Amino acid sequence: ARLDAGESLALHCSAGIHRTGMIAYALLRISGASSEQALTTIEEMRPVTRAGLRADLVITEHPKLAA
């Protein structure tokens, strides 16, 4: 609800790459972003975090993510 209201959220794990990227990706997808939009947003915010998101671990389609 806070993200939908435009509020910010800080995420971080030890290195801020793998776990942070997966949670950021999931939040963006749940908020309605496409897989491509979510990955682009993460890339723009922190390229090293985007680089840590391996394609084989990123869910691009799931019934709960359908618009």
Side-chain angles (χ1 to χ4, degrees):
R2 290 182 177 183
L3 289 177
D4 291 333
E7 293 187 35
S8 297
L9 175 68
L11 293 173
H12 206 290
C13 62
S14 182
I17 299 172
H18 302 102
R19 288 169 288 189
T20 298
M22 291 305 296
I23 296 299
Y25 179 81
L27 287 171
L28 288 164
R29 291 301 313 275
I30 290 168
S31 296
S34 69
S35 179
E36 184 177 329
Q37 290 168 328
L39 294 171
T40 297
T41 298
I42 293 167
E43 173 78 26
E44 290 171 353
M45 292 175 15
R46 192 158 191 259
V48 68
T49 299
R50 168 58 187 100
L53 292 173
R54 294 189 352 228
D56 61 323
L57 298 178
V58 174
I59 297 171
T60 57
E61 294 185 30
H62 188 278
K64 291 189 176 188
L65 297 176

